[in-house]
Amino acid sequence: MAKTSSSTAPSLSLELRGDGVAVVRFDTPGSSVNVLSRELVSEVERALDAIAEDPKIVAAVLVSGKPGTFIAGADLDQVLAMNSAEEGSRLSATGHALLDRIAASGKPFVAAVHGAALGGGLEVALACKYLLATDDEKTQLGLPEVMVGLLPGGGGTQRLPARVGLTAALPLLLTGKKLRAREAYKAGLVDALTTPGGLVETACLAARKLANGTLEPRERELSLDSLLSSTPLYRLVLAKAREDVMKKTRGLYPAPLAILECVEAGLSGGFAAGQDKEVELFGKLVAGPEAKNLIRLFKAMTDLKKTAADEKALAQPVKRLAVLGAGLMGEGIASVSLNLSSVVVKDVADASLARAAKNISRSLARRVKSGSLSRVSRDRQWAGLTLTTDPARIAGANLVIEAVFEDLELKRNVLAETEAVIADDAVFATNTSALPIGQIAKAAKDPTRVLGMHYFSPVPKMPLLEIVVTSKTSQRALATARAYGIAQGQTVIVVKDGPGFYTSRILAPFMNEAMLLLEEGAEIEALDRALKDFGFPVGPVTLLDEVGLDVAAHVGRDLGKAFVKRGLTPSAALPLIVEAGNLGRKNGKGFFLYAKDGHGRKPVNTDVYRFLGGSSRKAFAASEVVDRLTLQMANEAVYALEEGVLSSPQDGDVGAILGLGFPPFRGGPFRFLDSLGAEKVVTRMHELALAHGSRFTPHKRLVKMAVAGTRFYRE
Ligand code: NAI
């Protein structure tokens, strides 16, 4: 095997086979995945030279040396370190030059994809003449750049529509959606499918045949789609896509709009014009704050999915998980655990167990259909699931996650019942939304094994897990919960026990402020609009309806008690609204009205205005609404940090974004405070405190930061 020479360990190797096919194997040293870095570019250039110059080589195959991934994309650390648009543009132009060489090579290139081919990785594959992929659960193809605020700057905005058609390409480009192998084949993105074991041989055979003219890449059928791209009708499609993007993002995210510009430039001016647009706009995005915040979030999430080696050693292996309560949360928790261990779900109600069984079985079937789960894995997972009303069945569990009704007495009883049957080293977690873990653990035989595992609904879609530890929780219990949570695919933050932990704690004053504004005469829809324009996915009033007004009133009262000294008085109107029978979406009547089945939202429930000062409403400036709500939330986050509930601003930012929908492009409450600057924050909060009361008094850490001119993050 001939290795390309490099001063550091090489990222690729080139092997010339006897049949004239050069196999280029990517293998980034010291990393579990291949990333496209500056260093790799020169190595690829040298490999391309060697392939072009060596007359013995007739074709080339690109393959990964990593198990289970092809190329995961660009090196985001390098992108994050770029401080100017020029640097970004240079990177994009370099990528183009390299990939154009592959695309224009007289010797055909075959991409042999097993595992993730994402972002720059897929762009490399798209530049090849032929794309072969394994029909395997691990294989995924996509251009997720948009999710980190970037555009595919290596020709992806041009080559993807050219290959699969405009209407199939747009959702992939604009949402970052990833395709499984079979879906990618159906879409025309992949030329052929094979097995992981036969990948390299099949790729080499295809390469030889392409070289001798006995094989052609799949031809795209002459579909409506290809007609669209070849006539000015594409303008209509792009205009509609732009309209959809604006509706979804309110224009707050520059990347999807930039992607549409690139696609348009290519369709109207040709491939080179499209590439030029990529170079220009990639640079702009790299230099902007949105991409930086989104990349940091991505990196933070990646970090929070790892366990430190010493903690890993402490974790109790979980062979059997017990979930107590087969309600909404219990079912979700069981669902995301079936691939990790055997799971026993215990409930007191047969009806809950039956519903959970039906839903879990349906979701497994859906995953088999989409290709993300094999039949064998489905059967194994289903066989590992036990649904029971018999408490004795949880005896062998190493980890128990309790998700019964939110009731302190019930939770204490369930803990006592459970401790009577489980082994001494089993860990007990409660998925309470806000009950203090210390109080639940008070009567425990062994409080060191008790902690909170606070999931968000719906569990399979919500990636955050807030683990709550008390002063008694052992390191072993924490290590076990964190390792299991990470294996479930969650992003885990660990916080200390306290009123509302972290997420519920900072949400409460935010929602309460919305209530107080309503009491002052604000309009329901105006409040929602203001916060959505700021970037929240749903407004605070809609959120109150979703959470349930009874639950919100309950949490508000509890947290109000805890923070009464700081002037955080709970809304007096909310309990009255609840008493009058308005519980939110769940009973069809909250601040909005809903169709009977809880779906389809109808107009504002103007009846509630009688509890909020009457039907004549006042206009508030959107900026005032946003300042009042977001600064309440961010100030509370600072309290949580200073009290040691949070161990870092990064945890607080990730928790607020993933758990509460804080606008990701703003980077979370701490990044948001940094972007405003402490001085401005403190000045504004003093103004608000004068006008509305002491709840707006900024935390003294903010005041100190304003004086010293410091920030939460160094960069
Ligand atoms: P749910 O009402 O859907 O389900 C609760 C289930 O617990 C019911 O099936 C009930 O039959 C069962 N149950 C009651 N007593 C039991 C016992 N002694 N042993 C076994 N099962 C028993 O409730 P949901 O929404 O699933 O909430 C469960 C917990 O999760 C609550 O503490 C809640 O505060 C918390 N939570 C809820 C979230 C949500 O969005 N719904 C989010 C995060 C936490």
Side-chain angles (χ1 to χ4, degrees), residues 325 327-329 346-347 352 403-406 411 431 433 455 457:
L328 183 70
M329 298 306 287
K346 188 243 157 186
D347 201 296
S352 294
V404 303
F405 301 129
E406 185 80 345
K411 285 188 188 282
N431 173 51
S433 318
Y455 291 84
S457 169

Side-chain angles (χ1 to χ4, degrees), residues 61-218:
V61 165
L62 304 185
V63 68
S64 164
K66 305 283 184 204
T69 102
F70 179 65
I71 300 176
D75 184 340
L76 289 177
D77 283 328
Q78 290 188 352
V79 175
L80 203 53
M82 292 179 176
N83 289 317
S84 68
E86 290 72 41
E87 284 177 272
S89 291
R90 220 175 300 134
L91 177 70
S92 169
T94 309
H96 286 155
L98 203 66
L99 298 186
D100 286 354
R101 274 187 77 185
I102 293 178
S105 161
K107 303 179 180 179
F109 275 70
V110 173
V113 171
H114 173 60
L118 301 174
L122 181 57
E123 289 179 303
V124 170
L126 280 169
C128 294
K129 184 149 192 188
Y130 196 84
L131 204 169
L132 180 70
T134 59
D135 184 8
D136 187 87
E137 287 171 18
K138 290 203 182 83
T139 299
Q140 284 186 315
L141 300 98
L143 294 174
E145 285 88 342
V146 69
M147 296 173 80
V148 286
L150 298 173
L151 60 84
T157 67
Q158 310 302 307
R159 289 197 175 97
L160 186 67
R163 188 167 301 215
V164 303
L166 184 59
T167 48
L170 285 178
L172 299 180
L173 288 164
L174 295 174
T175 67
K177 182 176 182 274
K178 296 167 196 162
L179 297 182
R180 301 274 165 193
R182 253 176 279 168
E183 295 171 309
Y185 180 75
K186 261 193 226 143
L189 173 56
V190 165
D191 289 289
L193 295 174
T194 183
T195 56
L199 181 65
V200 175
E201 277 314 313
T202 316
C204 289
L205 182 65
R208 269 200 320 277
K209 285 185 165 178
L210 288 163
N212 68 23
T214 57
L215 176 71
E216 283 292 320
R218 263 171 92 190

